[in-house]
Amino acid sequence: MLRVLSTLVRTRSPLFLTKTSPSSQTLLLDRQAACEGLEVHQTRNTWILKRKWTPPLNKLPRYEDDKRRRHLPSRFHVYELVEHRDSVPLKPLEVLLVENVEGIGMKGDIVKVKLNLARDQLLPSGQAVYCSPENLEDYADLIEKRKKEIEDAEGPTRSAFVETTLKYLQQMRLNITMNRNNPWTITKNHIAVSFRKAGVVVPEYAITMPNDPITSDNPRDFEIQLMVNRTDEVTVPCHMFLYASGNVNRAAPDDKGAYGKLAEAEMSTPDQPTNPSP
Amino acid sequence: MAAPAKPGLIVLAQLSRLRLQTSPCVGTSFVQLRNYAARKGKRAAVQKAKRAMAKTEEKKEWKPKRLLMKDEAFMGERPQATAEWLARRPTDDVYLRAFYPPPRLSVPDAVARLADVNAPEMYDNMDGYLYLKLHLDMRMEKKNKFLDAFKRTVMMPNYFEVKEEKTVLVLCKSLADQTKARDLGATLVGGTEIIKQLEKGKLDKGDYNTIIASNDIIPDLIVIRGYLRKQFPNTRNDSLGSDVGVMVHNYLNGVTMQAEKPAGVHSYANIVVPVGRLNMNPEELEANVKNMINQAMSHKPNRAFSDKFITRSLLTVPPGKENFDLNTESYIEAPKKSNKKDKQADAGEEEGAEESKMAATN
């Protein structure tokens, strides 16, 4: 590092210190040009500096091995920082996916990913290749196939996030809040709304309800089936909550089951199991 | 072995003895003979300046740097809101909302979704208030200047009752206007005699939410401008004009929207305001939302930092926690083409615009 700096310092450009060959007399005036002349290091520890005081021509060495003026006077060794390469944010890398990768993309997709993800995971495991012209030629069939798939799609198509969604649905419990004062029978709309409240978008056609209807007379926990993309089926347990609108004392849900002690006392009859196991 | 006395000590002792012998009038103590201040207003002026300084100094609570940066940064520009993120659309039929940008709906669509949750079978809250939340960008072209939080009462195209406590003080000279204001329900109506009472401290400005005045009484009212400060009648918030009856009616039957900045934040503000009841006709609600958005847009300064004054608008019905993003752009009306007169008015407005200057921190 120090060595790089020292070579930079000894160059002859009066405005910018560049790692161009010492013999070159180019006067780099703007920052862009200065940056282009530099070798970009993989370690990104290059510092681009600018002289604060421009030395007059008579202070500069006159030829390559001018012994008389080996160094500039110390007042010309004051520098200002133009750019530190380490502080420049890294650009994402474009890669071509050869396999379906969860949360990133599908086979044949060209995606922009973080450098570390590409270098540590996608490229070494063979899930992706660099987006070079040669690779684009080699995998042209794959890319075209994927493009057609997207264009011809009618209805839902499988995305890279579907695995994550399925995992989330498998571990989730759906809370359904219904009114305690008014009569109701649970419909697919109520399930879809409850899913939306929980941050999952579900169309009504994907829901399969239990055979016996759930009504306000007999609120209980139950299970529903979800068909994701018309291919993957997930079972989601549903948990009933009763909400008392207006100024009625609200039944607080407890660990045991569907409704709180107040609701339990009011609704329990010998025939109905009011405290279903969660 | 006794050490010899240090010469320096002896000298010191001698000096102290000397000082004791000198008479008090020759000594260093200064006796003030004059029992009045040399410059009469000096002390008062200094104290006044000190008080002003104490007011401007904001007490800063300690906060972790991470949170501090979050406050000061502009919340409208979230790091993930890139063009790529905004263009992302779901292809699955079942998906998690967190993976995609929130859909931007029209008012009837959002109302339909809110009506689902608030139906009698669920929350049973169909007559609940529909609230509009607006996120405002308060930055100006100048880096340390920000638009001040504002408050304004707006008449809605479709009326609905709002439970707001409104106390109005009406000041006008003509008796006809006074009776009109009294009939409409103003809390207190009067002329110059009320101004004198305010001046003497017999009436408190804090008892009234707003003060409405007619143009003819302004020369008398200017006397208490220093006392009224922000409550001083102003054409911009419709509290100063020629027609007192319209102003009082609009204030008492309108909805008050108030831009509020969170503590310690200058760059953005939020408005939370009711725009109707959920059981109203969706088209009526849409008209009310459109009106509210355009009224908020009228506060956009000429030298705003960006064209996008309203960065986000949401609809919600408490106590439900769901918010639905609105397609704000479709509700913003293009500003009217300004002729010369309007331009002059704009310039004057800009000079008078309430802009707060933030001390450059960090």
Side-chain angles (χ1 to χ4, degrees):
Chain A
M1 173 65 213
L2 271 176
R3 202 171 235 189
V4 173
L5 249 187
S6 63
T7 50
L8 290 175
V9 168
R10 278 197 204 126
T11 51
R12 305 175 70 185
S13 164
L15 278 179
F16 281 98
L17 310 165
T18 62
K19 210 200 163 192
T20 45
S21 67
S23 59
S24 86
Q25 295 282 330
T26 34
L27 189 72
L28 294 165
L29 285 173
D30 67 337
R31 182 179 156 193
Q32 195 73 36
C35 298
E36 274 167 15
L38 274 169
E39 187 185 320
V40 181
H41 296 266
Q42 205 166 29
T43 45
R44 291 164 31 96
N45 55 6
T46 308
W47 297 71
I48 300 168
L49 306 174
K50 185 187 164 190
R51 275 196 215 286
K52 197 168 183 190
W53 317 113
T54 314
L57 282 174
N58 62 345
K59 300 286 181 192
L60 290 168
R62 282 166 205 180
Y63 45 88
E64 186 69 33
D65 298 316
D66 193 349
K67 300 276 179 192
R68 290 170 301 176
R69 279 226 173 268
R70 193 102 186 260
H71 300 291
L72 280 168
S74 62
R75 65 178 175 281
F76 296 119
H77 290 289
V78 180
Y79 306 105
E80 280 170 356
L81 181 64
V82 175
E83 191 183 321
H84 179 206
R85 278 298 165 90
D86 200 19
S87 62
V88 181
L90 288 165
K91 280 178 191 169
L93 187 69
E94 257 193 354
V95 289
L96 168 64
L97 295 179
V98 187
E99 287 169 22
N100 293 344
V101 186
E102 187 189 328
I104 290 164
M106 304 298 278
K107 201 172 175 179
D109 276 344
I110 293 169
V111 288
K112 275 182 180 177
V113 290
K114 277 192 175 181
L115 276 172
N116 59 342
L117 182 82
R119 293 208 178 118
D120 300 346
Q121 189 191 320
L122 300 180
L123 294 170
S125 66
Q127 287 171 311
V129 289
Y130 280 108
C131 221
S132 63
E134 293 85 7
N135 279 340
L136 286 178
E137 226 172 75
D138 289 354
Y139 291 95
D141 302 346
L142 202 70
I143 298 166
E144 251 179 48
K145 199 183 160 191
R146 175 67 180 153
K147 264 185 192 171
K148 262 191 182 177
E149 208 179 285
I150 295 168
E151 280 167 13
D152 301 345
E154 284 171 17
T157 46
R158 206 179 155 81
S159 81
F161 300 107
V162 94
E163 292 295 324
T164 325
T165 309
L166 287 171
K167 273 182 200 167
Y168 183 80
L169 290 171
Q170 276 157 10
Q171 58 82 42
M172 90 175 283
R173 184 190 69 173
L174 182 67
N175 291 335
I176 299 173
T177 306
M178 299 301 284
N179 202 288
R180 197 155 72 87
N181 309 349
N182 303 332
W184 42 260
T185 307
I186 286 190
T187 60
K188 286 183 179 179
N189 180 40
H190 295 140
I191 305 282
V193 169
S194 302
F195 265 119
R196 196 185 68 207
K197 277 162 72 182
V200 190
V201 178
V202 176
E204 284 186 25
Y205 67 76
I207 304 166
T208 313
M209 297 290 287
N211 292 328
D212 45 341
I214 295 105
T215 59
S216 51
D217 303 329
N218 181 20
R220 60 187 164 82
D221 289 4
F222 56 96
E223 281 181 348
I224 54 146
Q225 270 73 44
L226 268 189
M227 219 38 167
V228 180
N229 290 341
R230 295 188 172 121
T231 49
D232 304 270
E233 199 182 42
V234 197
T235 306
V236 181
C238 299
H239 189 58
M240 289 294 304
F241 282 95
L242 294 176
Y243 175 84
S245 55
N247 291 323
V248 191
N249 283 334
R250 242 161 242 162
D254 60 9
D255 295 344
K256 283 181 190 170
Y259 18 79
K261 280 169 191 167
L262 188 65
E264 203 178 314
E266 278 179 17
M267 290 191 178
S268 61
T269 53
D271 303 333
Q272 295 165 351
T274 52
N275 201 358
S277 56
Chain B
M1 214 169 83
K6 284 178 185 169
L9 275 175
I10 296 162
V11 172
L12 265 177
Q14 280 170 347
L15 264 176
S16 64
R17 210 174 300 137
L18 264 171
R19 181 162 287 183
L20 277 172
Q21 283 165 2
T22 51
S23 64
C25 53
V26 185
T28 48
S29 67
F30 174 73
V31 179
Q32 176 69 278
L33 293 173
R34 183 166 29 81
N35 62 353
Y36 55 89
R39 286 149 70 196
K40 207 180 172 186
K42 182 70 181 172
R43 188 178 297 168
V46 168
Q47 278 182 348
K48 200 179 172 186
K50 269 187 186 173
R51 248 177 276 140
M53 279 291 286
K55 261 187 191 175
T56 51
E57 267 178 34
E58 282 176 29
K59 276 188 183 175
K60 274 195 176 178
E61 280 180 37
W62 184 87
K63 251 186 184 183
K65 202 177 177 186
R66 180 172 50 84
L67 292 180
L68 203 70
M69 284 167 76
K70 202 176 166 189
D71 270 0
E72 285 301 327
F74 178 53
M75 296 297 279
E77 286 177 359
R78 283 161 302 161
Q80 64 176 4
T82 56
E84 276 173 28
W85 162 258
L86 292 173
R88 210 186 241 192
R89 294 283 175 274
T91 57
D92 302 306
D93 56 358
V94 176
Y95 59 92
L96 302 184
R97 267 172 68 170
F99 287 151
Y100 301 96
R104 306 172 91 228
L105 308 172
S106 66
V107 173
D109 283 355
V111 168
R113 283 166 206 221
L114 287 163
D116 279 348
V117 201
N118 291 287
E121 302 96 71
M122 296 186 98
Y123 283 147
D124 192 15
N125 187 28
M126 285 303 282
D127 60 345
Y129 282 118
L130 179 73
Y131 279 84
L132 176 69
K133 290 181 184 176
L134 298 175
H135 295 194
L136 304 180
D137 182 352
M138 307 295 259
R139 293 175 298 173
M140 309 279 276
E141 269 179 9
K142 276 194 175 180
K143 212 178 177 187
N144 287 339
K145 267 198 170 183
F146 300 97
L147 187 70
D148 257 3
F150 54 84
K151 192 177 177 181
R152 187 177 191 181
T153 303
V154 179
M155 267 303 274
M156 285 298 192
N158 298 298
Y159 176 78
F160 66 100
E161 200 190 337
V162 186
K163 288 166 198 161
E164 266 184 78
E165 206 179 293
K166 287 171 176 172
T167 46
V168 201
L169 172 60
V170 179
L171 299 167
C172 52
K173 274 185 177 169
S174 88
L175 286 175
D177 279 350
Q178 288 189 2
T179 46
K180 205 193 270 175
R182 222 168 266 132
D183 292 344
L184 284 165
T187 324
L188 185 65
V189 184
T192 42
E193 72 280 1
I194 299 250
I195 296 174
K196 272 178 190 166
Q197 285 181 0
L198 281 165
E199 197 181 352
K200 285 177 183 170
K202 286 179 183 172
L203 274 177
D204 189 7
K205 67 169 179 179
D207 294 344
Y208 306 96
N209 293 338
T210 193
I211 298 170
I212 290 174
S214 63
N215 286 333
D216 56 350
I217 208 163
I218 280 298
D220 302 304
L221 198 60
I222 280 175
V223 182
I224 54 167
R225 182 169 203 151
Y227 171 64
L228 295 181
R229 290 195 179 189
K230 281 198 173 179
Q231 285 205 51
F232 194 83
N234 188 341
T235 46
R236 294 211 317 148
N237 54 20
D238 303 328
S239 58
L240 176 64
S242 52
D243 199 337
V244 173
V246 171
M247 286 191 293
V248 173
H249 176 264
N250 286 0
Y251 180 73
L252 289 174
N253 294 297
V255 184
T256 308
M257 69 166 171
Q258 188 171 10
E260 279 181 303
K261 292 181 179 182
V265 167
H266 302 271
S267 55
Y268 64 94
N270 300 325
I271 294 178
V272 183
V273 65
V275 284
R277 286 182 187 273
L278 195 52
N279 52 13
M280 279 165 72
N281 188 357
E283 280 135 36
E284 288 177 356
L285 289 172
E286 193 169 24
N288 280 4
V289 168
K290 193 175 179 180
N291 179 45
M292 199 52 100
I293 285 177
N294 285 302
Q295 291 289 351
M297 277 302 282
S298 70
H299 284 265
K300 182 189 166 188
N302 288 355
R303 290 180 181 175
F305 179 80
S306 68
D307 291 339
K308 215 178 171 189
F309 184 54
I310 300 173
T311 51
R312 206 177 172 194
S313 53
L314 303 149
L315 279 184
T316 185
V317 177
K321 284 171 187 170
E322 273 188 305
N323 292 307
F324 291 102
D325 277 57
L326 292 181
N327 191 4
T328 323
E329 279 78 45
S330 62
Y331 293 111
I332 294 174
E333 283 168 353
K336 287 166 199 166
K337 279 180 185 176
S338 59
N339 50 28
K340 262 190 178 179
K341 271 186 183 177
D342 284 348
K343 267 185 186 172
Q344 281 173 356
D346 277 0
E349 208 173 79
E350 204 172 286
E351 278 168 25
E354 295 159 15
E355 295 157 9
S356 68
K357 217 178 188 184
M358 193 188 88
T361 48
N362 305 329

